[in-house]
Amino acid sequence: MHIDIITAVPEIFNSPLQASILGRAQKNGIVSIQVHNLHNYSPNGRIDDYPYGGGAGMIIRVDVVVAAMRHLQHHRQYDEIIYLTPDGHRLTQALLNRLSLCKALLLIAGHYKGIDERVRHFVTLEVSIGDYVLTGGEIPALVLIDGIVRLLPGALSDASSALEDSFQEGLLGSPLYTRPREFEGLRVPDILLSGNHQAIAAWRAEQSRLRTLLRRPDLNPNLFHDEVPLPPKLAEETASQLGKSGPPSQEEEPS
Ligand code: 6GU
């Protein structure tokens, strides 16, 4: 896969793209990622201007962004041209899965107040990473890239682990433990030390289901309708594992 990014602030991308799984995926040729400085596509070096109609803040010029896009499109055919904007489609695992099958993506990250409205005519997809406002589209672009690249074959050392993610089946992940076996009175569940792989797999599946029901029932409404009722003892156990205050409700976020 190849990913191009157009941004006014290319420095933001330096270390996130070089570290860990994203860095290794590029070194191993699984993905190539190129950051393009918007300032290089302006004849006079100016990429923004005052808003028509007045108001605070500067607006990125559409002609400069489209010049950068056309330059890159001259060299490559893109499957999607994605504008990162808070009013775009909310990013989901399903969208990441779809984008991970693409050959070439072009990402446009806005900064300052935004890009001239007319940029929307030149993109194929508008994406937001959630219902909150950030200073620019650069961090959202990194979120998108991280979510895509880890799905590419060979990016993760354990090929099966991407499929076992939270959200991949509309389920949250099951609890994870490593040594020590007991820490300040907190014990690793005995089942994980049993060596019974079938029983462990069943326990993990049930923990996933319970955790989804308790914390994020919105992810998987089928859990309520299709499946057998929860064994009361397991439900109680998981509720206590999740903390005395219980799961965060949809209305009231934890502070
Ligand atoms: Cl894509 N951009 C900005 N500036 N803020 C956001 C966002 C994008 N997604 C959520 N908040």
Side-chain angles (χ1 to χ4, degrees), residues 84-86 127-137 140:
L84 283 308
T85 174
V127 171
S128 159
I129 63 162
D131 295 339
Y132 39 81
V133 180
L134 303 173
T135 56

Side-chain angles (χ1 to χ4, degrees), residues 15-178:
S15 54
L17 291 181
Q18 269 147 42
S20 188
I21 290 167
L22 294 184
R24 197 165 51 236
Q26 289 173 92
K27 284 199 195 90
N28 294 346
I30 290 163
V31 63
S32 57
I33 304 174
Q34 271 182 294
V35 181
H36 306 272
N37 190 340
L38 189 60
H39 293 87
N40 297 340
Y41 296 90
S42 167
N44 59 4
R46 285 207 57 184
I47 61 161
D48 58 1
D49 213 328
Y50 298 97
Y52 274 120
M58 300 295 277
I59 311 299
I60 295 179
R61 294 171 57 110
V62 64
D63 55 344
V64 180
V65 175
V66 172
M69 287 172 53
R70 293 212 168 120
H71 175 83
L72 295 172
Q73 284 178 291
H74 191 71
H75 298 282
R76 202 181 294 273
Q77 184 90 27
Y78 294 100
D79 299 298
E80 298 282 1
I81 301 175
I82 304 172
Y83 175 30
L84 283 308
T85 174
D87 56 12
H89 296 286
R90 184 119 49 101
L91 185 59
T92 59
Q93 189 62 48
L95 181 57
L96 291 172
N97 292 350
R98 178 167 84 72
L99 293 174
S100 75
L101 303 174
C102 292
K103 286 269 167 289
L105 299 173
L106 175 54
L107 310 186
I108 320 277
H111 217 80
Y112 312 114
K113 272 213 90 177
I115 303 179
D116 185 302
E117 182 69 13
R118 292 166 288 185
V119 75
R120 298 183 202 269
H121 288 271
F122 300 89
V123 305
T124 62
L125 190 59
E126 300 177 22
V127 171
S128 159
I129 63 162
D131 295 339
Y132 39 81
V133 180
L134 303 173
T135 56
E138 283 79 11
I139 291 170
L142 284 165
V143 168
L144 188 65
I145 290 168
D146 186 287
I148 291 169
V149 170
R150 62 186 298 290
L151 295 173
L152 300 178
L156 299 185
S157 47
D158 178 357
S160 67
S161 59
L163 295 175
E164 287 165 14
D165 290 338
S166 287
F167 297 102
Q168 199 55 272
E169 306 282 345
L171 287 170
L172 299 177
S174 61
L176 302 170
Y177 296 90
T178 186

